[in-house]
Amino acid sequence: MTRTAVTDADFYLLEQSLDDDGRQFLRRVREFMEKSVQPVINHYWTREEFPFDLMDGFRGLGIPGQLYQGYDCPGGGYLLDGMIAMELARVDPSISTFFGVHGGLAMGSIFLCGSEEQKRRWLPEMARMEKIGAFGLTEPDVGSGVAGGLTTTARRDGNEWVLDGQKKWIGNATFADYVIIWARSLEDDQVKGFVVEKGTPGFETSKQTDKIALRVVQNAHITLDGVRVPEENRLQEANSFADTAKVLRLTRAGVAWQATGCARGAYEHALAYARQRQQFGRAIGGFQLVQDLLVKMLSNVTASACLCARLSALQQADLAEDHHSALAKAFCTVRMREAVGWARELLGGNGILLENHVGRFVADSEAIYSYEGTREINTLVVGRAITGLSAFV
Ligand code: FAD
């Protein structure tokens, strides 16, 4: 028997939690992503290029700054911000990452760790995307252990700071106007944040090539060789790694939404495929084992989205702590990795062809799984919270 299909992956109607303006905003993002990004993104992915020709379109959407009130930011709130991240990722995880780095990590560093004057100076132009930001924390030899292990140094010299060291994996950094560099002060041994402007002497970037995931994201290896930064570019409220961690708490929640979007995109492609692909004289979606894959995918997407929505509510109420974001990031990325694998399986051989999109989600999910704290590290954050015992060392 054929019935009307519930093809909407917003299975528990979470979009209804947004107000009319929020829903309209989300629809505009969806329309742009489906009409302007989806048809061309595989081309950029193959070439490891960023679609700079779409930048005016991205600007027109007015996405950055949903999390921040004031400073010419749209301030739509945590739920809308998260649902936008999901919406972007459901078409392309690289584009979602581009916005996550700019609007989350870079603008979030300034919003949470900058002085009032610094916020007024940088946030409005970043919200308008006249200037693009990046966030440089990870180093070639220091990833999970950044809290205690940063080797990039900052030496005070009068009214300036001199930065020396290297950074690895820094998204957007090949073209960003502002790169937030986290370095250990030789004065007090604490981690501090610096806004390094494009073109500063001694600051060099080289693009990381041959990635198998998020190939549209422009990641850079950065060398800092005696880079001089004025004191007014030091984030005035970043006094130790605890302040850096506030930024990660904010953005890990965004990555959980992003993972949910990546899983959702793969599920939606798989569902459409299952309804039209014929084998044994009927649509494969009519086979019980195929339905099992689809329902498992939808369960993962739905559980992740509901978890993220609750986390957004906690953030909105100022109740979210590190372990809340860490649990969501770990849980949703694991569920994503399962879901994209099942989607690939459902498409059979066609699942490995880029033109069917699911293969790109499978590859991209590997980077989302590991960045902004691996599953192990986020698990240790939650483990410490629930036992009161740190297992980090
Ligand atoms: P490692 O820290 O070397 O870890 C290797 C393995 O060991 C992992 O499985 C890890 O979980 C495990 N491990 C480590 N310590 C422990 C422990 N104590 N207990 C158990 N297991 C442990 N960084 C930025 O600063 N800015 C960016 O814009 C940025 N963008 C990125 C984009 C991409 C595509 C990628 C892949 C990474 C990006 N990163 C960025 C870096 C990212 O945050 C790190 O890759 C991540 O934190 C993990 O560090 P690592 O890769 O050095 O792995």
Side-chain angles (χ1 to χ4, degrees):
M1 190 172 87
T2 315
R3 304 167 69 112
T4 308
V6 183
T7 54
D8 194 338
D10 183 19
F11 205 63
Y12 278 17
L13 312 180
L14 279 178
E15 278 170 34
Q16 291 190 11
S17 315
L18 295 170
D19 61 16
D20 284 349
D21 288 348
R23 280 199 293 272
Q24 270 178 29
F25 197 104
L26 210 58
R27 264 196 293 277
R28 280 200 300 278
V29 173
R30 177 171 305 171
E31 199 176 293
F32 184 80
M33 291 300 290
E34 287 180 349
K35 286 197 178 142
S36 303
V37 176
Q38 177 141 310
V40 299
I41 200 65
N42 285 332
H43 165 87
Y44 290 96
W45 197 91
T46 306
R47 291 162 193 254
E48 296 187 284
E49 287 172 6
F50 185 83
F52 288 106
D53 48 338
L54 293 176
M55 201 63 123
D56 281 345
F58 289 141
R59 230 174 250 127
L61 293 173
I63 289 175
Q66 299 297 342
L67 296 179
Y68 320 122
Q69 300 298 328
Y71 314 102
D72 294 351
C73 292
Y78 286 88
L79 183 63
L80 179 60
D81 184 75
M83 291 186 97
I84 292 169
M86 176 169 71
E87 198 61 50
L88 296 169
R90 99 177 235 282
V91 172
D92 186 54
S94 291
I95 299 301
S96 189
T97 301
F98 160 73
F99 277 104
V101 170
H102 170 67
L105 287 165
M107 288 178 71
S109 298
I110 295 167
F111 185 77
L112 293 171
C113 302
S115 66
E116 190 55 34
E117 192 191 336
Q118 290 176 323
K119 292 184 222 188
R120 281 204 299 266
R121 178 174 160 202
W122 289 309
L123 289 177
E125 58 183 9
M126 292 175 82
R128 291 192 292 271
M129 292 178 71
E130 290 159 8
K131 302 284 184 189
I132 299 298
F135 176 93
L137 178 62
T138 308
E139 300 181 355
D141 295 324
V142 190
S144 303
V146 282
L150 281 193
T151 63
T152 298
T153 56
R155 177 174 58 82
R156 182 125 196 193
D157 183 15
N159 212 24
E160 289 183 329
W161 291 81
V162 184
L163 307 182
D164 285 286
Q166 291 181 51
K167 296 288 173 185
K168 186 175 178 183
W169 289 120
I170 310 310
N172 301 352
T174 55
F175 59 92
D177 302 282
Y178 303 130
V179 182
I180 316 288
I181 293 290
W182 297 94
R184 183 169 298 282
S185 164
L186 293 176
E187 249 185 4
D188 61 4
D189 206 33
Q190 295 297 326
V191 172
K192 301 193 188 304
F194 300 87
V195 179
V196 178
E197 301 185 22
K198 185 156 86 179
T200 307
F203 180 86
E204 302 288 340
T205 62
S206 65
K207 175 173 157 174
Q208 283 181 231
T209 55
D210 300 331
K211 290 184 294 168
I212 64 148
L214 296 180
R215 287 167 61 86
V216 175
V217 177
Q218 305 295 295
N219 291 98
H221 185 110
I222 297 177
T223 310
L224 300 128
D225 185 7
V227 175
R228 290 191 165 265
V229 178
E231 162 66 10
E232 70 227 33
N233 280 33
R234 180 181 65 80
L235 293 174
Q236 299 293 312
E237 304 301 326
N239 299 311
S240 72
F241 190 81
D243 295 315
T244 321
K246 287 184 199 157
V247 184
L248 297 176
R249 182 191 309 163
L250 186 84
T251 55
R252 275 178 185 163
V255 176
W257 276 110
Q258 212 173 68
T260 307
C262 178
R264 178 172 167 175
Y267 163 74
E268 288 176 342
H269 284 295
L271 176 61
Y273 189 86
R275 298 182 72 224
Q276 59 80 24
R277 173 74 172 175
Q278 305 272 323
Q279 288 297 305
F280 298 95
R282 57 196 289 204
I284 61 168
F287 297 130
Q288 290 178 349
L289 293 177
V290 172
Q291 290 189 0
D292 181 53
L293 286 178
L294 286 167
V295 174
K296 284 195 295 191
M297 277 181 249
L298 179 61
S299 305
N300 281 12
V301 171
T302 306
S304 297
C306 290
L307 179 77
C308 287
R310 178 60 191 153
L311 176 57
S312 294
L314 289 181
Q315 289 177 300
Q316 199 67 47
D318 208 13
L319 292 173
E321 298 191 43
D322 288 346
H323 47 267
H324 295 119
S325 294
L327 185 124
K329 202 277 175 179
F331 178 87
C332 296
T333 54
V334 171
R335 301 284 84 81
M336 161 194 70
R337 214 176 183 208
E338 287 172 346
V340 297
W342 289 326
R344 212 292 305 148
E345 181 179 342
L346 191 151
L347 266 73
N350 285 333
I352 68 160
L353 290 176
L354 209 47
E355 67 187 52
N356 294 314
H357 299 288
V358 167
R360 178 165 43 86
F361 288 105
V362 173
D364 288 350
S365 72
E366 288 303 313
I368 298 173
Y369 185 69
S370 286
Y371 70 30
E372 298 230 18
T374 63
R375 186 190 63 77
E376 290 82 0
I377 293 304
N378 281 301
T379 297
L380 293 179
V381 172
V382 182
R384 182 178 56 191
I386 60 176
T387 63
L389 305 167
S390 173
F392 273 97
V393 282

